[in-house]
Each structure stands twice: as C-alpha cells, then as structure tokens.
Amino acid sequence: MRIAIPLDENKQDVCVVLARAPYFLFRDGEEELIVENPAARAQGGAGIQVAQFLVDNDIQALITVRCGQNAADVFTSANIKIYKSVRKTAAEELAAFAEGKLEELTSFHGGFHGTHGS
C-alpha cells in the first residue's frame, strides 16, 4: 500500500497543513521517498492541486493532521483513505498505521484560501 504524509521542513515531522506542506513522504512497503510538494507555493487552489498530485502518485492512504473539504472530495472520489495524524513524526505515524491504531479523518474544514493555514 502506498501511503503519503505531509512533512515539515525537517523532513521528519508531520506538517500540520496538508496543501502547503513543503514535502511529502511516500511509503510503499519498505521503500520511502521524500518529494517536494509542487502545490506549496501555489497562488490559489493549493488543496485541489495537492490532492491531484497525490492521486497522480497512486497513493491509497493519506495520514494528515487536517484536510480541506475540496481536497477530501478528490481523495474520496479516488478511493483514498484519509487517516488522522496525532503524533509528531512520520515514523511514529507509520508505525501506528501498521498496528491499525489510526482513526479515519471524518471532519474537514472549508479551506484557508490563501492564508497558508496560519
């Protein structure tokens, strides 16, 4: 299963904003890849852009602190499960995911629309 997690600048901690996260960690089995988020500096529509980026990268699961409704709609239509991040590091989240300890994220916000989530 290919899993995505938004990462902070240190490339280890889960970023609290999905669309504007500087990086994403992709985990597929034992393989891990960290890539820059092409939507991080988008003028607008970053949520939809990041959602499409993740769909295009064939993820089956996303672990994130929060997610906007527009992005969630894209993930739902692509049958991508969204899980709630409650730990600090991506490694901790991946371990919790492997143990079946993550809950699905079911509450989505309306988006930040250019505010970068601050």
Side-chain angles (χ1 to χ4, degrees), residues 26-110:
F26 292 120
R27 172 88 179 256
D28 196 352
E30 294 302 313
E31 290 186 33
E32 289 187 358
L33 176 66
I34 295 175
V35 298
E36 285 190 39
N37 175 7
R41 291 184 174 83
Q43 292 294 321
I48 293 290
Q49 289 179 41
V50 81
Q52 190 60 55
F53 168 69
L54 295 174
V55 168
D56 291 347
N57 276 277
D58 298 320
I59 69 160
Q60 287 88 42
L62 169 67
I63 301 171
T64 186
V65 174
R66 59 185 175 211
C67 181
Q69 186 65 56
N70 291 340
D73 291 344
V74 172
F75 296 133
T76 300
S77 68
N79 294 314
I80 295 170
K81 297 276 189 188
I82 307 168
Y83 294 91
K84 175 78 173 151
S85 172
V86 295
R87 291 153 191 87
K88 182 174 178 160
T89 70
E92 291 170 321
E93 291 297 2
L94 288 168
F97 181 83
E99 296 170 5
K101 293 182 177 178
L102 295 185
E103 294 182 19
E104 283 194 46
L105 184 63
T106 57
S107 177
F108 307 105
H109 62 79

